[in-house]
């Protein structure tokens, strides 16, 4: 990490909070005064707050403009020039929608210029107002074009500017969008500008002893909970006008040695200093039939807190109507996954020398899970105990590696196969201490805590003295159970079966050759694996070797989703539609988003297969069922044969989601072993020092409300690797699938 010394020393001030007004980036984007571009290759989850060039030569022009200092210019070159801007409006209410903008063109020939505004709930565009110029030739100075229509509430408004012509140049400036005569920027806040303190802070200014007394530990735990609660529940803090990280740095030294009475007075004065909430509306009730997970308020009964403080907190919970937006947690409106994009990475922070940033990292993560994690109730450990145990550890960590290992252990407490820690975008599990370069040349699954060789993915590996079906008992003389126990603390996994996938260092060694003790057909063998005789640069994908499509018999087809594109499916279906059976192998991660395309051919009619819970931004800690997933369509020509779905511990996330969909097929059978048990879109929580904590951000459930997380997909038949394999080429699960079809 960067070890630049502190350039900004924070002074512990009074309890008053200096608020700064948050700027609105939408205005700059509509006037083209300060905009960013993305190219058409950019994924939807990166589109927020950027103009997205679909095609053409679009640039900002500082020489020609209608008003201000800049305009948007496009060189016409015979193509379909197109640029878009997405605005999340979150179903704001209104009756009329007004859209317009200034256009200028020069030396154009046979040119069509269109300014359109669409509304959308699904990113499938529906038409709103459009204005356009048809088949124009020549030049014209600035002129305002507009249209007004009835407003239909939606999730997004999409500005779409298109130009088709042979040649010339076109300019746009000062676009206007109004709902009921009010600028859209007054109704929706797109982003929160960084405050000066957030941009310039390189040092927390916190100076405290790293060894905590019992009272100091309890005080910091209480501070963590009050700070996190206010962060997510106080409506003024949600507006983004207070640097809440700086507030933590200021209050750590004030709280750490306070007695109970002083501590409570500090918290009460802190709440008072934030601002008056009496002007906010009373909270509206939420129907419990939609609620899947409720907030945890047990911490309020802490003996540390006086009745007066508990009352103030209770009022903020139940008496104040919060809005559906918060600086510190939101939804990426395009990908619809949970987002912490406004959290500060503090890339120049030195966590080794600065204890304040270490405390912030723990407090930020603990509260994000407390209020924003859909599977909080599935965590094995008491989440409050986790805070109590890890606070002294993060305080005492005195090296970069120690800090990273503490954070990795912290992530492991989630029991979430998606959970991990990254540094500068690189997963920390690949540190050389945990992931040595010498890799055992085999794909191994963990069944009943036994590491069983399943397959070889590299032809050079097949020269190994290992055989399919071998049970690895020891690596370099150390028992597998011990390796799991020692290393599993640094890796998070939802099910024990996913351990070897997540703890791939189990199959690595600092030494070469690797000494293995294996059990083969009941006989114990010792093998020396010379890694230099194999392709060391080849990292095995966690999948079964196979082809995207093949026939395993005259009447049975097989598809392997790791090697199958959705564009392949129509052609494949013509070949398999009359077969007796179809085997779908998802012991892998799919190559493409094939779920809907594949299901359209397999299902006779639409079927509900999953429900999704999402965070209620206005009531953090509350997760409600907000979306249902349906697969298939009405199709008389659907596949009539038997469908066998193969799964195992390599089936994770999107693969499990596909298995959940295929479970609804009336003629399907899902066979194999327990899957990874991790489903839902992942989210990234920035941490100081340019780190990120990764975890699942929304909850996925079967239609009856049964959770898949930590359990794996529902199996129709559990099949484990048999004790005696038929040979190196045998795929026991594929053989079972074939027998079920015959």
């Amino acid at each position: 990490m960067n070890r630049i010394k502190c350039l900004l020393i924070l002074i512990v001030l009074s309890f008053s909070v200096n608020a700064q007004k948050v700027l609105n980036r939408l205005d700059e984007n509509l006037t083209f005064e300060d905009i960013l571009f993305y190219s058409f290759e950019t994924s939807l989850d990166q589109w927020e707050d950027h103009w997205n060039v679909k095609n053409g030569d679009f640039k900002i022009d500082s020489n020609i403009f209608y008003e201000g200092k800049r305009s948007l210019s496009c060189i016409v070159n015979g193509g379909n020039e197109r640029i878009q801007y997405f605005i999340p409006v979150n179903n704001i209410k209104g009756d009329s929608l007004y859209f317009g903008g200034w256009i200028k063109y020069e030396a154009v020939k046979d040119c069509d210029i269109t300014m359109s505004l669409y509304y959308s709930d699904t990113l499938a565009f529906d038409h709103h107002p459009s204005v356009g110029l048809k088949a124009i030739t020549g030049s014209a100075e600035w002129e305002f074009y507009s249209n007004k229509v009835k407003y239909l509430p939606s999730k997004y408004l999409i500005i779409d500017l298109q130009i088709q012509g042979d040649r010339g140049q076109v300019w746009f400036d000062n676009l206007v969008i109004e709902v009921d005569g009010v600028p859209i920027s007054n109704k929706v806040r797109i982003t929160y500008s960084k405050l000066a303190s957030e941009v310039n802070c390189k040092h927390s200014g916190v100076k405290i002893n790293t060894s905590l007394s019992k009272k100091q530990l309890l005080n910091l735990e209480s501070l963590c909970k009050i700070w996190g609660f206010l962060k997510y529940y106080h409506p003024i803090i949600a507006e983004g006008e207070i640097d809440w990280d700086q507030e933590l740095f200021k209050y750590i030294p004030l709280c750490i040695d306070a007695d109970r009475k002083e501590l409570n007075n500090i918290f009460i004065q802190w709440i008072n200093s934030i601002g008056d909430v009496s002007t906010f509306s009373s909270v509206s009730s939420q129907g419990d039939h939609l609620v899947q997970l409720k907030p945890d308020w047990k911490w309020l009964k802490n003996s540390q807190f006086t009745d007066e403080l508990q009352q103030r907190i209770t009022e903020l919970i139940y008496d104040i109507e919060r809005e559906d937006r918060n600086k510190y947690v939101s939804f990426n409106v395009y990908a619809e996954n949970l987002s912490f994009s406004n959290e500060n990475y503090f890339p120049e922070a030195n966590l080794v020398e600065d204890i304040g940033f270490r405390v912030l990292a723990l407090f930020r993560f603990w509260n994000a899970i407390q209020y924003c994690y859909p599977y909080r109730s599935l965590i094995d450990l008491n989440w409050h105990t986790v805070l109590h145990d890890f606070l002294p550890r993060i305080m005492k960590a005195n090296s970069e590696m120690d800090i990273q290992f503490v954070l990795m252990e912290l992530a492991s407490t989630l029991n979430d196969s998606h959970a991990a820690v990254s540094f500068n975008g690189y997963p920390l599990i690949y540190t050389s201490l945990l992931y040595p370069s010498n890799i055992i040349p085999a794909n191994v699954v963990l069944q009943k805590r036994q590491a069983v060789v399943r397959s070889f993915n590299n032809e050079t590996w097949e020269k190994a003295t290992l055989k399919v079906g071998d049970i690895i008992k020891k690596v370099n003389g150390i028992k597998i159970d011990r390796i799991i126990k020692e290393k599993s603390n640094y890796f998070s996994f939802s099910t024990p079966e996913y351990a070897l996938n997540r703890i791939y260092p189990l199959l690595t060694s600092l030494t070469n050759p690797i000494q293995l003790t294996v059990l083969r057909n009941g006989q114990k063998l010792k093998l020396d694996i010379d890694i230099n005789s194999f392709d060391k640069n080849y990292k095995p994908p966690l999948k079964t070797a196979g082809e995207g499509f093949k026939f395993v018999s005259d009447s049975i087809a097989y598809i392997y989703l790791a090697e199958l594109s959705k564009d392949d499916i129509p052609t494949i279906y013509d070949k398999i539609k009359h077969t007796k059976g179809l085997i779908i192998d998802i012991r892998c991660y799919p190559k493409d988003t094939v779920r809907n395309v594949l299901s359209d051919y397999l299902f006779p009619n639409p079927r509900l297969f999953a429900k999704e819970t999402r965070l209620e931004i206005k009531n953090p800690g509350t997760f409600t069922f907000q979306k249902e997933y349906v697969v298939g369509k009405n199709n008389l020509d659907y596949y009539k044969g038997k469908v066998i779905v193969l799964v195992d511990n390599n089936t994770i996330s999107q693969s499990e989601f596909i298995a959940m969909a295929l479970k609804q097929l009336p003629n399907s059978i899902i066979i194999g072993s327990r899957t990874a048990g991790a489903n839902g879109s992942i989210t990234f929580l920035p941490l100081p020092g340019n780190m990120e904590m990764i975890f699942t951000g929304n909850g996925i459930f079967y239609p009856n409300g049964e959770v898949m997380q930590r359990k794996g997909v529902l199996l129709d038949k559990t099949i484990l690797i048999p004790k005696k394999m038929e040979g190196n080429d045998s795929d026991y699960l594929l053989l079972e699938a074939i027998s079920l079809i015959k």
Side-chain angles (χ1 to χ4, degrees):
M1 295 184 194
N2 195 320
R3 297 178 180 271
I4 297 176
K5 292 293 185 180
C6 170
L7 299 179
L8 176 65
I9 303 296
L10 298 176
I11 302 175
V12 179
L13 301 172
S14 65
F15 295 109
S16 62
V17 175
N18 296 319
Q20 301 182 30
K21 190 64 181 173
V22 176
L23 299 177
N24 195 326
R25 289 264 321 148
L26 179 57
D27 291 327
E28 285 99 344
N29 276 288
L30 295 183
T31 59
F32 305 105
E33 292 301 297
D34 182 16
I35 76 170
L36 297 172
F37 287 114
Y38 270 147
S39 66
F40 69 93
E41 291 92 353
T42 305
S43 61
L44 287 176
D45 62 356
Q46 295 175 297
W47 278 28
E48 188 170 354
D49 209 29
H50 291 71
W51 279 91
N52 304 281
V53 179
K54 304 295 288 183
N55 188 49
D57 184 15
F58 286 92
K59 295 179 180 178
I60 293 300
D61 194 327
S62 300
N63 298 313
I64 298 176
F65 44 83
Y66 172 75
E67 192 175 71
K69 297 181 179 180
R70 296 174 179 86
S71 68
L72 177 68
S73 168
C74 180
I75 303 296
V76 183
N77 59 12
N80 181 13
E81 328 298 333
R82 191 175 188 183
I83 190 170
Q84 293 178 335
Y85 184 76
F86 281 57
I87 306 172
V89 291
N90 301 320
N91 293 297
I92 61 175
K93 298 178 180 179
D95 294 319
S96 65
L97 177 66
Y98 177 76
F99 174 60
W102 293 87
I103 298 176
K104 168 185 167 66
Y105 54 89
E106 184 175 287
V108 299
K109 181 182 179 183
D110 297 330
C111 191
D112 293 344
I113 305 173
T114 307
M115 293 195 310
S116 300
L117 188 66
Y118 300 89
Y119 70 90
S120 174
D121 283 334
T122 62
L123 294 179
F125 302 163
D126 293 312
H127 208 191
H128 247 176
S130 275
V131 291
L133 303 170
K134 296 292 185 180
I136 57 172
T137 296
S139 304
E141 288 304 311
W142 290 105
E143 187 170 346
F144 189 76
Y145 300 86
S146 64
N147 194 2
K148 185 176 182 179
V149 297
K150 179 177 174 57
Y151 175 66
L152 300 177
S154 58
K155 289 185 180 180
Y156 323 105
L157 289 175
I158 303 103
I159 303 172
D160 189 71
L161 308 179
Q162 292 192 62
I163 307 168
Q164 287 183 301
D166 288 343
R167 63 174 183 265
Q169 189 168 5
V170 178
W171 291 264
F172 300 91
D173 202 1
N174 284 23
L175 304 182
V176 176
I177 306 174
E178 295 179 351
V179 175
D180 292 346
V182 178
I184 194 73
S185 60
N186 290 2
K187 290 179 173 288
V188 57
R189 177 178 290 163
I190 302 300
T191 59
Y192 300 83
S193 296
K194 281 188 177 295
L195 306 177
S197 56
E198 294 175 316
V199 175
N200 298 324
C201 182
K202 299 179 180 67
H203 200 286
S204 73
V206 176
K207 303 291 184 182
I208 57 176
N209 198 311
T210 58
S211 296
L212 299 176
S213 67
K214 182 178 180 180
K215 183 182 80 169
Q216 290 174 328
L217 176 58
L218 292 175
N219 283 0
L220 287 182
E221 289 181 58
S222 298
L223 173 61
C224 174
K225 294 173 184 180
I226 295 295
W227 176 80
F229 165 75
L230 294 174
K231 175 179 182 176
Y232 289 116
Y233 264 81
H234 200 293
I236 294 177
I237 296 170
E239 291 176 354
E241 299 179 3
I242 301 171
D243 186 340
W244 204 237
D245 292 338
Q246 292 296 327
E247 287 292 294
L248 176 63
F249 296 153
K250 182 167 68 177
Y251 278 86
I252 289 173
L254 294 174
C255 294
I256 191 167
D257 289 314
D259 59 33
R260 181 176 182 270
K261 182 178 179 180
E262 291 171 338
L263 188 67
N264 279 265
N265 286 337
I266 288 172
F267 290 151
I268 291 171
Q269 291 181 55
W270 196 10
I271 294 172
N272 291 339
S273 72
I274 294 170
D276 182 16
V277 295
S278 62
T279 58
F280 289 84
S281 305
S282 298
V283 70
S284 59
S285 60
Q286 166 68 51
D288 278 353
H289 67 287
L290 295 175
V291 175
Q292 189 277 325
L293 182 65
K294 294 182 178 181
D296 164 30
W297 299 124
K298 296 185 182 70
W299 63 272
L300 263 179
K301 303 303 180 183
N302 190 329
S303 60
Q304 284 276 92
F305 302 144
T306 62
D307 292 342
E308 181 183 2
L309 178 59
Q310 290 185 34
Q311 180 61 31
R312 293 299 305 278
I313 293 173
T314 302
E315 290 171 356
L316 285 171
I317 296 171
Y318 298 108
D319 297 345
I320 303 299
E321 178 73 20
R322 289 166 292 277
E323 296 189 44
D324 278 322
R325 56 177 179 248
N326 185 302
K327 174 177 180 178
Y328 294 104
V329 61
S330 60
F331 284 102
N332 183 306
V333 293
Y334 313 114
E336 297 187 327
N337 59 323
L338 203 61
S339 172
F340 299 93
S341 60
N342 287 309
E343 293 281 18
N344 199 334
Y345 281 95
F346 295 108
E348 296 188 71
N350 187 326
L351 273 68
V352 176
E353 298 180 359
D354 196 321
I355 195 170
F357 283 118
R358 300 209 297 275
V359 174
L360 172 61
L362 175 60
F363 283 16
R364 185 184 287 179
F365 174 69
W366 190 89
N367 281 289
I369 300 303
Q370 174 74 359
Y371 293 104
C372 308
Y373 185 53
Y375 300 123
R376 187 185 67 243
S377 61
L378 301 182
I379 298 174
D380 284 343
L381 299 175
N382 181 298
W383 195 238
H384 298 273
T385 302
V386 170
L387 175 62
H388 182 83
D389 292 343
F390 275 83
L391 187 50
R393 295 185 59 190
I394 200 72
M395 296 278 286
K396 292 180 180 179
N398 57 11
S399 71
E400 185 174 306
M401 186 62 69
D402 287 344
I403 294 167
Q404 292 177 354
F405 272 33
V406 169
L407 292 175
M408 291 173 70
E409 288 191 64
L410 184 60
S412 76
T413 64
L414 294 184
N415 309 117
D416 182 354
S417 295
H418 280 151
V421 186
S422 69
F423 173 54
N424 289 331
Y426 189 74
L428 290 180
I429 60 170
Y430 296 120
T431 175
S432 60
L433 292 180
L434 291 175
Y435 197 99
S437 59
N438 296 320
I439 304 172
I440 294 175
N443 286 332
V444 179
V445 294
L446 192 66
Q447 291 186 175
K448 296 182 179 180
R449 299 190 70 83
Q450 292 198 110
V452 184
V453 176
R454 189 187 68 183
S455 62
F456 302 96
N457 282 72
N458 185 325
E459 61 181 14
T460 67
W461 292 10
E462 295 176 4
K463 302 174 184 177
T465 51
L466 275 171
K467 303 296 180 184
V468 171
D470 283 352
I471 299 173
I472 301 175
K473 305 296 290 185
K474 295 180 181 180
V475 179
N476 292 331
I478 303 175
K479 292 182 178 179
I480 286 289
D481 279 348
R482 179 181 166 188
I483 297 174
I484 292 175
K485 184 176 180 180
E486 290 178 349
K487 293 191 175 183
S488 62
N489 288 339
Y490 303 108
F491 304 87
S492 188
F493 41 87
S494 306
T495 62
E497 286 77 7
Y498 195 63
L500 270 187
N501 302 56
R502 199 61 166 144
I503 313 173
Y504 202 76
L506 283 174
L507 305 179
T508 61
S509 173
L510 288 170
T511 62
N512 182 48
I514 303 175
Q515 296 178 340
L516 298 180
T517 301
V518 304
L519 196 63
R520 181 183 299 166
N521 296 326
Q523 182 180 1
K524 186 177 291 187
L525 303 173
K526 291 188 177 181
L527 309 175
D528 286 339
I529 308 296
D530 182 6
I531 301 303
N532 291 329
S533 63
F534 308 107
D535 183 358
K536 294 180 66 174
N537 295 320
Y538 181 84
K539 182 181 177 182
L542 299 175
K543 67 175 189 177
T544 302
E547 301 170 5
F549 164 71
K550 64 182 178 182
F551 284 98
V552 293
S553 76
D554 291 341
S555 61
I556 301 176
Y558 167 93
I559 58 176
Y560 181 53
L561 297 192
E563 299 176 5
L564 192 71
S565 166
K566 61 184 178 183
D567 295 332
D568 299 330
I569 293 175
T571 302
I572 289 174
Y573 186 69
D574 287 338
K575 300 177 181 179
I576 68 175
K577 61 189 300 184
H578 298 301
T579 57
K580 183 178 181 180
L582 171 64
I583 299 170
I584 302 176
D585 192 343
I586 47 177
R587 295 173 290 177
C588 58
Y589 197 84
K591 173 183 178 181
D592 204 347
T593 52
V594 300
R595 183 185 72 250
N596 290 333
V597 178
L598 179 63
S599 299
D600 283 348
Y601 288 97
L602 300 182
F603 281 77
N605 48 50
R607 298 289 180 93
L608 173 68
F609 74 94
K611 297 192 297 185
E612 180 180 286
T613 63
R614 294 180 183 172
L615 177 69
E616 273 201 352
I617 300 295
K618 63 168 59 179
N619 295 305
T622 304
F623 278 80
T624 56
F625 288 106
Q626 298 186 29
K627 185 173 183 179
E628 294 184 338
Y629 288 91
V630 175
V631 71
K633 65 180 181 180
N634 291 319
N635 179 18
L636 295 177
D637 191 31
Y638 71 94
Y639 183 71
K640 308 298 194 304
K642 186 176 291 186
V643 177
I644 309 297
V645 182
L646 311 184
V647 300
D648 66 6
N649 60 328
N650 291 310
T651 307
I652 182 173
S653 194
Q654 182 67 16
S655 303
E656 291 177 299
F657 203 52
I658 293 172
M660 292 176 70
L662 295 175
K663 179 72 175 176
Q664 300 303 315
L665 264 178
N667 56 344
S668 71
I669 300 175
I670 299 181
I671 68 172
S673 54
R674 186 149 69 154
T675 60
N679 211 335
S681 300
I682 63 173
T683 188
F684 299 84
L685 176 71
L687 296 181
N690 218 30
M691 290 188 287
E692 286 178 321
M693 193 71 78
I694 306 166
F695 53 88
T696 307
N698 57 339
I700 300 295
F701 297 78
Y702 281 97
N704 64 357
E706 185 175 353
V707 68
M708 197 285 298
Q709 184 84 2
R710 301 216 62 196
K711 292 184 177 181
V713 300
L714 294 175
L715 299 174
D716 294 304
K717 188 174 184 180
T718 300
I719 301 174
L720 303 179
I721 293 179
K723 291 183 178 179
K724 292 186 178 181
M725 304 292 294
E726 294 185 12
N728 290 350
D729 296 328
S730 64
D731 184 334
Y732 68 100
L733 208 54
L734 179 59
L735 294 175
E736 179 68 21
I738 293 171
S739 67
L740 287 172
I741 294 173
K742 290 182 176 179

